[in-house]
Amino acid sequence: MSIARALFGFPGGVRLPTHKDASTGSPIATLPVPPELVIPLSQHAGDPARPAVSAGDTVHRGTVIGRAPGDFSATVHASSSGTVTAVENRPVPHPSGLPEPCVVIRTDGLDTRPADGPEPLKDWLSASPARLRRRVADSGVAGLGGAAFPAAVKLTPGPDTDVALLVVNAIECEPWITCDDVLLREHAMEVVTGARIMRHILGAPEVVIALEAEKRAALDALTRALDDAGEPGMTVTRVPVRYPAGGEKQLIQTLTGREVPSGGLPLDLGILCHNAGTVAAVARAVEHGEPLTDRIVTVAGTGVGQPRNYRVRLGTPIHRLIEAAGGYRGQGHRLIVGGPMMGFALEHDNVPVTKGCNCILVTESHAVPPPEPALPCIRCGDCADVCPMRLQPQQLYWQAMGRDHEGIREDGLFDCIECGACAYVCPSKLPLVGMYRHAKSEIRTSDEDQRFAEQARQRYAFRQARLEREQQEQAERRRRKKEALQAERGAGEKADRKAEIQAAVARARKRKRGGGES
Amino acid sequence: MALKTPPAPHIHGDNSVSRIMRRVLYALVPGVVAMTAVFGWGVVVNILIAVAVAVVCETAMLRLRGKPVALFLNDWSAVVMAVLLALCLPPLLPAWMTAVGVAFGLIFGKHLYGGLGYNPFNPAMVGYAVLIVAFPQAMVQWLPPTGLAESALGPLQTLQVIVFGQLPPGLAPDALTHATPLDHVKTRLAEGLTMQEIRGGPVFGVVAGSGWEWINLLFLTGGAWLLHVRVIRWQVPAGVIIGLAAPALLFWLINPEQQLSPLFHLLSGGAMLGAFFIATDPVSGATTPWGRLCFGLGVGVLAWIIRTWGGYPDGIAFGVLLMNMAVPLIDRYTRPRIYGHGGR
Ligand code: SF4
Ligand code: SF4
């Protein structure tokens, strides 16, 4: 079933040490349900869900505990059965480090399902796309590749948008991460079914499942599953390993040779990209009526005893995961959510696993040494050579240093996908990505300020105009009044004159007549 | 337990400024050996003097500017600059002149602009330009290649000549001066001789100046290694070579009796040193792929113009300095199309 596809490749990129073997040696293990689950109401891109339960409520695995307030959000479910003990702010895995609203559940160990949960839709082929979309939305499926974009939103391209290609992204170009690899090895059929369901929803676009050339075992499993499914229009494509080959824009370019327009979406090209894990979650939501309550997480890195992939209930504290993986090893740990290139570091391990949490990387300081002190940029251009967006990171750096907001925007700061390839190769060890992020937020703030100032200016101008208008109107009124008065007076005078004339005429007539008569 | 939370990426490649600079130095070794073989110990003495002065100046300037001395000395950039400048100097140039050139290049060409990374001009070439303007006579006094020398100097004698200006007894100053082949040909052509007549002399080797052709070939070898380990990219050297050879070829085809052949140009003077080591200085050069090619072409063409019509013995240095000025413009107009902006 695996048809070789002509690949177009993408510019730049780096070869990274992969470290994948460490966690693919053993099958996926299931982490027991912890005594306490802390489930954030905002695990996805978009608006946070609104709490649907309160302290004291009994919940089951799959009970809705957070409702999406609008379309651009995702439903949140209880990951196991028990009692809600609190709805309060708790630390969550987020780069800001700020606590956010979470539902805290004391689990009862029974893991019961709600009586009124969604029924399995084995015969999804005869279900309408709208119904399936609804099911995906109700199941709280969000992008499991890290960005946690609500899946149902992506599956609703709008009435006059045709999706011609659905890309299932099973490329894990960041080192250490293997959760999609093991998912494919053990549950390839889930991915294939999920892709078929999506295909059904989207009106039968072509489907390409992309994975790295190195993932042999996953490829075999996938090919078998595809053969078994026997659905036409679905192929597997192997992509050379090079970071960031799994970036959405890079993958689309590799597969089609086309570029997502700046500031646009793949949908503008009629393409949709979904992560393999997300696709599998859709299959489970539809076929089995299982809302998203767990995910596979890679625990890896030299700082942990036994790197491995775990199926983990959402809301499980990360320290449980690390304990299960043999605990910390060595010294000077760094805890990273996601991969080493784009992931963010955590201050402590008492935060819950969320939908976007694909990997917990535990490193020792010697394996990931603190960056050496940065030297100035020597303009070697290595960063530009590896930039997949064809930016000139060194120019952006100089502009960021000089706070040249106009220039840096023009040179594509907002096209930067923050992949970190530039900072990885920089011989001067410059924290380029950090600087770009900073510049972006500075520009956004100043844009905001400007908008605010503009609004204030407009408000002021509006008020000024209103006052002026009022003044004018007043003046106008006064003038009219005066005119009216004058007109009245004038009319009176005229009447007087008329009378005078008439009197004079009458007198003259009288005289004439009198004279004639006399 | 509060762990460190540095920004992504959390891993880094193993490249460093220090490694880049050290690799440049390794790559210079074959050329330096060839130069020493051809021109004697003066080459080595010049390098040692230049490096010593550079280290002293760099340390002093870093102290003055309140920068971490160890961190920046360890980047080896001052040493590379010193060695490159030393390789452009006549082998018996008085030590104090070398010192002046290095000090000027480092202080005015680099640190006053803000140090590593901030200098718009190639510091080695700034030093060279100052020397050739200040001491035009001394800067053209090259030694005859060993084969042609009446007496070769030992290392100690060389040191004496360079540092104290003392010639060994019985040696006339004239015996030690000799124009470079480029200079030689230029003078002869000006005197009305044809290439045919000039070629016969002992100054010529196989295709270019005797000795010089080997020096250039060995710098080319070192440069090829730099390309291989990706310290430099192909665009700049290719640009310089094409920029130098293309006009030379054109004029040579039109008038072979009055013009140097392109091969002569490529294997003379500082052509290969310039193409692979000097024009490739990242800090003062262009950074976009097309920009690098333009930059190299400019250096090559300017060098050819200066060699052909200018008053200086070689044109690489001024070619580089002139092109340095054009870098901001070049980079601006050669910026690649960003992903997602127009195109397919
Ligand atoms: S890699 Fe670093 S030193 Fe080189 S040009 Fe880019 S930012 Fe400058
Ligand atoms: S982080 Fe931005 S500038 Fe750097 S390589 Fe990636 S896309 Fe290019």
Side-chain angles (χ1 to χ4, degrees):
Chain A
M1 200 65 191
S2 156
I3 296 166
R5 199 187 160 95
L7 295 180
F8 295 86
F10 67 94
V14 266
R15 280 200 140 263
L16 299 174
T18 58
H19 303 293
K20 304 271 188 187
D21 293 344
S23 54
T24 51
S26 17
I28 304 169
T30 302
L31 197 72
V33 177
E36 186 185 77
L37 289 165
V38 179
I39 306 174
L41 287 167
S42 178
Q43 304 182 32
H44 45 265
D47 306 321
R50 302 243 172 81
V53 290
S54 45
D57 287 0
T58 304
V59 292
H60 303 276
R61 180 181 189 186
T63 304
V64 174
I65 56 171
R67 255 181 244 292
D71 281 340
F72 190 31
S73 182
T75 311
V76 180
H77 302 83
S79 316
S80 186
S81 59
T83 314
V84 176
T85 56
V87 180
E88 61 185 19
N89 280 359
R90 288 286 187 104
V92 296
H94 190 271
S96 72
L98 295 174
E100 276 182 21
C102 297
V103 173
V104 186
I105 298 170
R106 196 178 58 239
T107 56
D108 56 14
L110 302 174
D111 212 21
T112 49
R113 300 243 176 205
D116 56 349
E119 81 286 10
L121 271 178
K122 292 279 178 215
D123 186 25
W124 48 264
L125 249 180
S126 51
S128 75
R131 172 150 189 233
L132 294 174
R133 264 189 209 117
R134 193 69 254 150
R135 169 61 65 88
V136 173
D138 289 344
S139 305
V141 182
L144 299 189
F149 197 89
V153 178
K154 264 203 197 174
L155 288 174
T156 316
D160 20 71
T161 316
D162 251 355
V163 177
L165 175 66
L166 169 67
V167 178
V168 177
N169 186 351
I171 297 172
E172 295 162 305
C173 54
E174 288 230 34
W176 277 295
I177 307 179
T178 58
C179 56
D180 290 344
D181 189 359
V182 293
L183 170 73
L184 282 176
R185 289 184 197 204
E186 297 182 31
H187 305 282
M189 203 41 157
E190 266 178 20
V191 176
V192 171
T193 308
R196 290 176 61 205
I197 294 172
M198 285 191 172
R199 191 163 182 265
H200 180 56
I201 294 177
L202 295 167
E206 188 195 348
V207 176
V208 171
I209 304 175
L211 75 176
E212 297 103 308
E214 247 97 296
K215 284 182 179 164
R216 301 249 158 65
L219 179 74
D220 288 346
L222 192 57
T223 316
R224 268 199 307 278
L226 270 179
D227 283 342
D228 290 349
E231 175 126 353
M234 291 179 61
T235 49
V236 182
T237 298
R238 287 181 300 162
V239 169
V241 190
R242 186 159 47 103
Y243 181 81
E248 191 173 70
K249 291 180 168 148
Q250 283 63 45
L251 182 54
I252 288 173
Q253 193 176 17
T254 303
L255 295 177
T256 66
R258 299 170 73 198
E259 297 176 4
V260 180
S262 174
L265 292 171
L267 207 51
D268 299 338
L269 304 175
I271 300 174
L272 262 188
C273 257
H274 277 282
N275 161 268
T278 319
V279 175
V282 164
R284 287 174 60 188
V286 172
E287 256 199 338
H288 306 295
E290 285 178 16
L292 183 62
T293 56
D294 63 21
R295 67 156 299 145
I296 303 173
V297 182
T298 306
V299 185
T302 57
V304 70
Q306 184 46 59
R308 190 170 182 175
N309 281 283
Y310 290 88
R311 192 176 279 281
V312 187
R313 296 295 167 91
L314 301 173
T316 305
I318 282 172
H319 63 79
R320 294 242 153 220
L321 200 53
I322 290 167
E323 279 155 30
Y328 289 105
R329 205 176 66 177
Q331 263 161 13
H333 296 106
R334 203 89 65 65
L335 211 51
I336 295 158
V337 173
M341 295 298 283
M342 294 182 77
F344 56 92
L346 290 175
E347 253 178 48
H348 57 83
D349 58 11
N350 198 14
V351 295
V353 168
T354 57
K355 293 176 184 175
C357 188
N358 52 358
C359 174
I360 303 296
L361 186 59
V362 191
T363 65
E364 293 171 274
S365 53
H366 70 83
V368 179
E372 295 158 42
L375 287 172
C377 166
I378 58 165
R379 295 169 42 87
C380 63
D382 284 3
C383 49
D385 285 351
V386 299
C387 178
M389 299 302 287
R390 260 189 259 106
L391 299 169
Q392 299 290 305
Q394 79 283 4
Q395 300 297 65
L396 299 182
Y397 160 79
W398 288 103
Q399 284 156 337
M401 295 263 293
R403 309 175 89 102
D404 175 3
H405 288 175
E406 242 354 273
I408 198 170
R409 200 202 289 257
E410 201 164 290
D411 278 351
L413 176 68
F414 286 95
D415 290 302
C416 167
I417 56 168
E418 297 178 11
C419 68
C422 51
Y424 179 83
V425 298
C426 176
S428 290
K429 311 290 177 207
L430 288 165
L432 296 169
V433 181
M435 299 181 73
Y436 302 154
R437 279 211 195 113
H438 186 78
K440 280 182 189 174
S441 73
E442 239 180 35
I443 293 180
R444 281 199 193 108
T445 320
S446 91
D447 277 3
E448 199 83 336
D449 286 353
Q450 239 170 39
R451 234 194 327 273
F452 192 75
E454 175 64 17
Q455 274 170 2
R457 201 189 60 73
Q458 277 176 358
R459 264 203 302 276
Y460 176 76
F462 188 71
R463 183 165 169 273
Q464 258 343 71
R466 200 191 66 214
L467 287 180
E468 222 164 89
R469 201 181 56 231
E470 280 176 4
Q471 260 173 13
Q472 268 175 10
E473 279 172 6
Q474 218 168 16
E476 177 75 359
R477 268 201 300 278
R478 254 191 242 123
R479 199 175 55 82
R480 285 235 190 88
K481 224 174 177 172
K482 215 160 123 191
E483 269 177 14
L485 264 176
Q486 272 170 355
E488 233 170 74
R489 209 180 294 146
E493 275 168 18
K494 253 188 213 155
D496 289 354
R497 293 265 302 268
K498 230 179 173 171
E500 254 174 51
I501 293 167
Q502 272 170 3
V505 170
R507 269 197 305 273
R509 275 200 194 130
K510 233 182 185 170
R511 230 181 282 144
K512 223 180 185 177
R513 223 183 287 151
E517 276 170 4
S518 54
Chain B
M1 181 176 80
L3 300 171
K4 290 219 177 73
T5 55
H10 304 279
I11 50 174
H12 293 274
D14 54 1
N15 204 3
S16 66
V17 178
S18 169
R19 189 175 86 175
I20 291 176
M21 296 296 170
R22 277 181 281 127
R23 284 186 163 172
V24 171
L25 291 175
Y26 304 149
L28 282 168
V29 169
V32 170
V33 170
M35 268 187 98
T36 312
V38 173
F39 293 115
W41 291 102
V43 175
V44 178
V45 174
N46 275 350
I47 290 178
L48 293 178
I49 292 170
V51 169
V53 173
V55 171
V56 170
C57 281
E58 180 92 350
T59 312
M61 287 311 289
L62 288 171
R63 281 255 160 76
L64 272 176
R65 295 176 50 225
K67 299 274 167 186
V69 175
L71 176 67
F72 278 94
L73 262 191
N74 194 36
D75 69 28
W76 290 85
S77 63
V79 175
V80 168
M81 175 270 179
V83 174
L84 288 178
L85 176 52
L87 291 175
C88 298
L89 301 177
L92 290 185
L93 193 73
W96 65 273
M97 290 189 190
T98 306
V100 166
V102 173
F104 197 94
L106 267 184
I107 296 173
F108 289 91
K110 179 174 172 189
H111 282 287
L112 289 191
Y113 280 113
L116 180 72
Y118 290 85
N119 46 299
F121 295 103
N122 185 325
M125 292 303 100
V126 169
Y128 180 85
V130 163
L131 287 177
I132 202 148
V133 171
F135 316 110
Q137 221 71 85
M139 286 293 283
V140 295
Q141 311 269 297
W142 280 78
L143 281 180
T146 26
L148 310 178
E150 286 144 46
S151 86
L153 298 173
L156 271 181
Q157 286 170 318
T158 310
L159 200 65
Q160 267 192 334
V161 177
I162 292 179
V163 179
F164 304 108
Q166 283 175 351
L167 287 181
L171 197 66
D174 276 1
L176 294 179
T177 60
H178 199 282
T180 64
L182 272 174
D183 243 5
H184 175 80
V185 174
K186 212 195 279 182
T187 332
R188 291 289 175 280
L189 284 175
E191 285 167 6
L193 278 87
T194 62
M195 281 308 290
Q196 194 65 40
E197 290 159 321
I198 305 170
R199 278 203 72 102
V203 177
F204 270 84
V206 184
V207 286
S210 155
W212 285 99
E213 45 195 23
W214 293 110
I215 294 171
N216 271 288
L217 281 175
L218 282 165
F219 277 129
L220 171 77
T221 314
W225 181 72
L226 280 189
L227 271 177
H228 175 69
V229 295
R230 298 184 63 76
V231 166
I232 60 173
R233 305 287 183 276
W234 62 270
Q235 287 95 337
V236 172
V240 176
I241 289 171
I242 296 169
L244 192 58
L249 177 69
L250 190 72
F251 275 70
W252 179 69
L253 285 177
I254 295 172
N255 187 358
E257 278 313 303
Q258 295 292 319
Q259 294 290 335
L260 288 172
S261 72
L263 256 185
F264 189 101
H265 268 294
L266 290 180
L267 297 179
S268 290
M272 290 302 147
L273 181 67
F276 286 92
F277 294 90
I278 295 174
T280 50
D281 168 45
V283 175
S284 55
T287 56
T288 64
W290 283 108
R292 286 182 179 140
L293 196 64
C294 291
F295 180 84
L297 280 171
V299 171
V301 170
L302 285 169
W304 175 79
I305 292 175
I306 296 171
R307 277 180 175 187
T308 312
W309 292 298
Y312 293 106
D314 201 344
I316 300 282
F318 288 100
V320 168
L321 290 174
L322 286 171
M323 289 311 290
N324 283 162
M325 292 197 277
V327 160
L329 214 65
I330 296 177
D331 272 348
R332 212 170 125 181
Y333 286 104
T334 54
R335 192 190 76 184
R337 183 180 62 78
I338 297 168
Y339 178 107
H341 287 255
R344 283 174 293 182

